[in-house]
Amino acid sequence: MISFLGNILRWLRHGGFGLLLFVAVLLLAWGTVAPVGTLVWWLGGGADAVEKRVRQLTNGINSEAGEDGRGSPSGPVLNHRAFDPSQDADGARTASEPACYIVFLTGVGDTSANELASGEEKFLQGLAQEQAGCVALSGVFPYSAANPDVGGQQVFRYLQGVVKKAEGWVDLAETLLRIRNLWRMAISADNRYGPAYNRGIALQIVEQMDQQQALPSSVDQPIQLILIGTSGGVQVALAASPHLGQWLPVDITVVSLGGVFNGDEGFETVDHMYHLRGEHDWVENIGGIVFPHRWRWTFASPYNRARRQNRYTAIESGPHEHDGDRGYFGEEAVNGKQTYYELTVEQVNQLPIWLETAE
């Protein structure tokens, strides 16, 4: 398979039209088979893993059931007890237990959550320094329900190796990987396969939160969960939110940095969404064009209801492009002063979501 793919790439090297045709056919082929991996994961043990983890999370439910033994219709939550830093182990929360988690979901240009771009790492470091009351993590890969990167499939593992080693055709390899991630974003937005896929991502988020800092066994006030995404990661963050809201006692805020999203999933769950968009970011406009739920005349869509209820706020972030040196995580200087990623950190830090966690 790999040898065959290599022969095709060498043949296409001499023809631009052939390359374009190849990518078009590949795009259509991926659209047909993209859900297969999610279905195989779900039927091959993913569903059981999610069910088992949810049972673990709900073992401590403070049931408000009546005499018939049925629980609250609002869904499973952790047992609510004292959630006060001043209390000891008898009550619940200790000073080491966080009231706030920040989860970063990367864009379609990345191939692994463990190998972020330099600007993304610096953005998260700067944010973590300013928001010391929150635990920040970035180990969730939003373009696979089962794998930490694109290497779960042989052909993409090969392309990932090409990109890492920069061995010729690196631009084509990066393009193909982006297309692969775009299809995973499309699965997240699909009402047929999305429920399984998004449960897998929500499970990843729960596991990463628990590994980074153990989830408190009982709470009095909801934990603040801030999902920060860029590009297609915003769609995945929104689509995972209903499951996170059902499994955990959390108040969810989504921060979009040039995100592309369909305007359906998640808006009934999140407390607020802040959408930062750069002046020169034409890519983020795509979501508002291709997704009917984002159109202003679809009054009843979750997105438009959130807008009318003031739970959605769009903010001009500055002269950002969608990606690159002048993107939200770009390391080029803005007007000879701060870098683009520093400007992004500044904009995010100014959001009112941090007031409750400020020390």
Side-chain angles (χ1 to χ4, degrees), residues 296-318:
R296 292 298 180 95
W297 54 86
T298 56
F299 301 105
S301 74
Y303 165 77
N304 281 307
R305 287 201 298 270
R307 286 181 54 250
R308 292 195 298 272
Q309 295 167 1
N310 295 319
R311 294 188 295 107
Y312 173 86
T313 304
I315 302 170
E316 295 292 338
S317 66

Side-chain angles (χ1 to χ4, degrees), residues 104-126:
F104 179 72
L105 300 175
T106 187
V108 298
D110 286 337
T111 60
S112 172
N114 299 319
E115 298 179 5
L116 299 181
S118 174
E120 291 176 324
E121 291 182 348
K122 292 178 180 178
F123 163 78
L124 286 174
Q125 290 170 0

Side-chain angles (χ1 to χ4, degrees), residues 39-116:
L39 294 176
V40 169
W41 165 78
W42 182 254
L43 297 175
D48 292 337
V50 170
E51 183 180 355
K52 179 180 178 181
R53 192 65 171 104
V54 172
R55 284 200 304 268
Q56 292 174 349
L57 292 172
T58 57
N59 275 342
I61 291 178
N62 181 14
S63 176
E64 297 179 1
E67 293 181 358
D68 59 359
R70 290 179 296 179
S72 170
S74 62
V77 294
L78 292 179
N79 183 31
H80 284 246
R81 288 186 295 169
F83 190 64
D84 188 330
S86 64
Q87 295 207 8
D88 56 21
D90 293 338
R93 185 173 185 250
T94 65
S96 63
E97 292 177 336
C100 169
Y101 288 85
I102 301 171
V103 180
F104 179 72
L105 300 175
T106 187
V108 298
D110 286 337
T111 60
S112 172
N114 299 319
E115 298 179 5
L116 299 181

Side-chain angles (χ1 to χ4, degrees), residues 37-334:
T38 298
L39 294 176
V40 169
W41 165 78
W42 182 254
L43 297 175
D48 292 337
V50 170
E51 183 180 355
K52 179 180 178 181
R53 192 65 171 104
V54 172
R55 284 200 304 268
Q56 292 174 349
L57 292 172
T58 57
N59 275 342
I61 291 178
N62 181 14
S63 176
E64 297 179 1
E67 293 181 358
D68 59 359
R70 290 179 296 179
S72 170
S74 62
V77 294
L78 292 179
N79 183 31
H80 284 246
R81 288 186 295 169
F83 190 64
D84 188 330
S86 64
Q87 295 207 8
D88 56 21
D90 293 338
R93 185 173 185 250
T94 65
S96 63
E97 292 177 336
C100 169
Y101 288 85
I102 301 171
V103 180
F104 179 72
L105 300 175
T106 187
V108 298
D110 286 337
T111 60
S112 172
N114 299 319
E115 298 179 5
L116 299 181
S118 174
E120 291 176 324
E121 291 182 348
K122 292 178 180 178
F123 163 78
L124 286 174
Q125 290 170 0
L127 191 61
Q129 290 175 359
E130 292 291 332
Q131 308 302 334
C134 296
V135 173
L137 57 98
S138 60
V140 177
F141 187 59
Y143 308 108
S144 175
N147 300 297
D149 54 33
V150 300
Q153 295 169 286
Q154 186 178 12
V155 63
F156 295 113
R157 186 159 55 245
Y158 170 76
L159 292 173
Q160 188 180 25
V162 170
V163 172
K164 288 181 178 179
K165 297 177 182 178
E167 293 179 351
W169 286 100
V170 63
D171 291 339
L172 175 60
E174 288 181 341
T175 299
L176 296 180
L177 291 173
R178 284 176 181 244
I179 293 174
R180 181 260 182 212
N181 289 346
L182 280 170
W183 276 120
R184 294 309 186 276
M185 169 194 161
I187 292 174
S188 175
D190 191 296
N191 58 14
R192 297 166 298 176
Y193 312 109
Y197 184 89
N198 297 324
R199 281 179 172 86
I201 298 298
L203 178 62
Q204 282 194 49
I205 292 174
V206 169
E207 298 294 2
Q208 288 291 324
M209 290 170 63
D210 199 31
Q211 289 175 17
Q212 187 74 14
Q213 179 80 335
L215 290 166
S217 60
S218 55
V219 297
D220 180 51
Q221 297 180 3
I223 299 169
Q224 190 171 16
L225 176 57
I226 300 166
L227 304 177
I228 301 181
T230 182
S231 189
V234 176
Q235 168 60 39
V236 179
L238 285 165
S241 294
H243 308 295
L244 294 168
Q246 185 183 34
W247 300 346
L248 298 173
V250 289
D251 287 336
I252 303 175
T253 301
V254 173
V255 178
S256 164
L257 304 175
V260 179
F261 52 95
N262 69 358
D264 186 7
E265 296 87 2
F267 281 93
E268 302 293 351
T269 302
V270 301
D271 293 328
H272 205 106
M273 176 175 177
Y274 296 90
H275 178 54
L276 278 65
R277 54 190 182 196
E279 297 173 7
H280 305 294
D281 180 6
W282 61 269
V283 176
E284 69 88 21
N285 292 321
I286 293 176
I289 296 173
V290 302
F291 293 120
H293 286 99
R294 297 278 303 278
W295 299 346
R296 292 298 180 95
W297 54 86
T298 56
F299 301 105
S301 74
Y303 165 77
N304 281 307
R305 287 201 298 270
R307 286 181 54 250
R308 292 195 298 272
Q309 295 167 1
N310 295 319
R311 294 188 295 107
Y312 173 86
T313 304
I315 302 170
E316 295 292 338
S317 66
H320 293 102
E321 297 177 2
H322 190 71
D323 52 18
D325 293 336
R326 298 182 179 180
Y328 299 95
F329 311 105
E331 299 186 66
E332 185 175 310
V334 182

